[in-house]
Amino acid sequence: MLKLLTIIGARPQIIKAAALSRAIRDHFADTINEVILHTGQHYDNNMSRVFFKEMEIPEPDYNLHVGSDSHGKQTAQMIIGIEDILLKEKPDYLILYGDTNSTLAGAVAGAKLHVPVVHIEAGLRSHNKNMPEEINRITCDHVSTLLFSPTKTGYNNLISEGFNKDTKSPFTIDNPRIYHCGDVMFDNTMFFSGKAEKRSKILRILHVKPLNYVLCTIHRDNNTDDPVRLNALFNSIYNIAGEHDIPIILPLHPRTTKILRQNLSGKLYDSIINHPNINIIKPVSFLDMIILEKNSSLIMTDSGGVQKEAYFFQKPCIILRSETEWKEIVENRTAIVADANKKNITGAYKELTNRKNLHFPPIFGDGNAAMFICKELIRNRI
Ligand code: UD1
Ligand code: UDP
């Protein structure tokens, strides 16, 4: 048996991990044994628990319950816990997703114990090292043995950082193997879209009609923690909801909810909370999120995952950041990088709603990325 230790912690990692766990359960149960470690970075029911049930992800074998803290303290607590479990479980591979502090902690603990690190969602770059995620993903990539990039851009980023595309097995931390293999999140979207249609009642609950509302998420620290940026974002939302008379649904990350009253001007806060077209709700489950994305007229977001899902569901997207890792969706003219700038955001709304014949060529694979990854793990067994 090939033994994997998978580390998850934040909401998007739980969601991404569902694809690999499903491939293992359905196709490789005799060959691969997956042990799951939840760092506890996200812990609210609607940020963690809900996904395990709904997406049939196996219960974590371990939960470190680290909770929220400063970057240093949170990451340090994770490293301590992960190290103990790596020593006990002695896995063949350590599986890490994305770019959170849980990813960074796993990379540091695994690499120092000489456990081969497998990075899923490797190679993505914003080229902005003020983002904590950029530091996490660069560090993780450079101590990984197998690197699976979802996009061609990600793969090319790795090559430009010195990774060799022609390495031969056996692969090691000093002789890593890079792949361009498609996106496990696209696998999930394909898999769960039909189930979501059958099970989700979110449109009825929120009293919105298909193609007649905007979906918006905001959670990046530089947007939530900077009052100037947060006011600009919510001013834009207020403007679009009023000028275009369109409902805007905001399933808000707890980070944003907690800081909204403090960082928005009192007048704007009251206007947002009382606006008939603006509906701030708690984070929703993945099936509800799929339905909200699929039926929206447009998506505004600073989330990495939601930008991609907008593309999967062929929705125009306003990116509420100064750059994106998903260059292709901007090049294809289905998304606009508008930053936290009211003029850009309201302009992007008009431009995208007027753009005719948006094209969404496939750039995130064929829905079989997790199968590909499992096969490569078995083939390259170290
Ligand atoms: C983290 C990731 C980010 C990812 C996001 C996904 C890092 C550095 N950042 O950001 O890349 O896009 O997850 O959602 O790892 N909180 C709760 N309940 C929870 C979790 C968090 O209330 O279950 C609140 C706490 O006040 C906490 C804050 O959210 O301090 C931020 O949480 P944290 O995990 O530190 O970072 P995220 O902003 O969620
Ligand atoms: N998501 C969800 N419910 C929500 C908001 C987001 O299920 O209320 C899902 C979304 O569909 C995507 C993932 O969470 O799959 C994105 O996570 P997030 O935006 O927290 O982090 P990021 O992708 O930016 O790291």
Side-chain angles (χ1 to χ4, degrees), residues 9-13 40-48 67-71 74-75 78 99-103 131-133 136-137 219-221 224 253-256 258 302-305:
R11 167 171 67 189
Q13 295 170 318
Q41 177 170 351
H42 287 175
Y43 43 85
D44 289 347
N45 188 48
N46 56 22
M47 294 294 287
S48 173
S68 306
D69 215 320
S70 65
H71 284 270
Q74 186 186 53
T75 311
M78 291 178 192
D99 53 20
T100 72
N101 286 347
S102 299
T103 318
M131 277 182 86
E133 293 84 0
N136 294 347
R137 50 170 92 107
H219 78 275
R220 289 281 150 208
D221 62 351
T224 59
H253 189 292
R255 163 178 219 122
T256 320
K258 283 178 186 172
D302 62 4
S303 157

Side-chain angles (χ1 to χ4, degrees), residues 56-287:
E56 294 177 37
I57 305 163
E59 284 299 311
D61 299 273
Y62 300 95
N63 192 325
L64 301 178
H65 296 291
V66 296
S68 306
D69 215 320
S70 65
H71 284 270
K73 286 188 186 137
Q74 186 186 53
T75 311
Q77 289 304 319
M78 291 178 192
I79 293 175
I80 294 168
I82 293 168
E83 186 178 67
D84 283 347
I85 293 161
L86 282 171
L87 288 168
K88 182 173 157 212
E89 291 287 347
K90 299 186 176 45
D92 297 299
Y93 289 113
L94 177 61
I95 310 291
L96 303 176
Y97 290 94
D99 53 20
T100 72
N101 286 347
S102 299
T103 318
L104 174 67
V108 173
K112 297 257 174 121
L113 287 175
H114 311 300
V115 179
V117 171
V118 175
H119 191 200
I120 300 178
E121 220 178 51
L124 280 313
R125 298 290 181 264
S126 63
H127 306 288
N128 171 6
K129 291 203 185 82
N130 285 317
M131 277 182 86
E133 293 84 0
E134 185 78 349
I135 296 168
N136 294 347
R137 50 170 92 107
I138 291 173
T139 308
C140 182
D141 280 342
H142 285 266
V143 296
S144 290
T145 292
L146 302 180
L147 298 91
F148 293 95
S149 177
T151 59
K152 191 76 185 151
T153 301
Y155 181 82
N156 288 339
N157 286 337
L158 292 173
I159 291 172
S160 65
E161 285 176 20
F163 285 85
N164 180 346
K165 62 177 170 13
D166 299 318
T167 51
K168 300 276 177 290
S169 100
F171 302 118
T172 65
I173 189 170
D174 286 318
N175 182 44
R177 169 78 157 107
I178 60 171
Y179 299 89
H180 168 208
C181 71
D183 198 316
V184 290
M185 286 185 71
F186 186 56
D187 296 15
N188 275 336
T189 300
M190 305 275 282
F191 185 80
F192 286 106
S193 188
K195 283 187 197 296
E197 291 286 353
K198 287 196 195 109
R199 291 196 212 152
S200 173
K201 300 184 175 56
I202 192 76
L203 297 186
R204 255 183 287 153
I205 292 170
L206 297 176
H207 304 293
V208 282
K209 294 199 181 64
L211 300 180
N212 190 31
Y213 64 90
V214 169
L215 177 67
C216 178
T217 76
I218 297 171
H219 78 275
R220 289 281 150 208
D221 62 351
N222 71 328
N223 281 337
T224 59
D225 299 1
D226 178 344
V228 175
R229 291 180 68 89
L230 198 66
N231 276 281
L233 289 171
F234 276 89
N235 247 315
S236 313
I237 289 165
Y238 179 78
N239 180 286
I240 292 170
E243 190 179 326
H244 301 277
D245 192 18
I246 183 131
I248 303 191
I249 308 290
L250 290 116
L252 271 200
H253 189 292
R255 163 178 219 122
T256 320
T257 307
K258 283 178 186 172
I259 211 157
L260 210 55
R261 188 185 277 278
Q262 183 187 322
N263 277 357
L264 285 191
S265 77
K267 191 165 162 240
L268 181 59
Y269 180 82
D270 290 343
S271 311
I272 292 289
I273 296 298
N274 297 317
H275 199 296
N277 270 349
I278 299 176
N279 193 357
I280 295 182
I281 58 173
K282 291 195 161 70
V284 296
S285 77
F286 187 60
L287 295 189

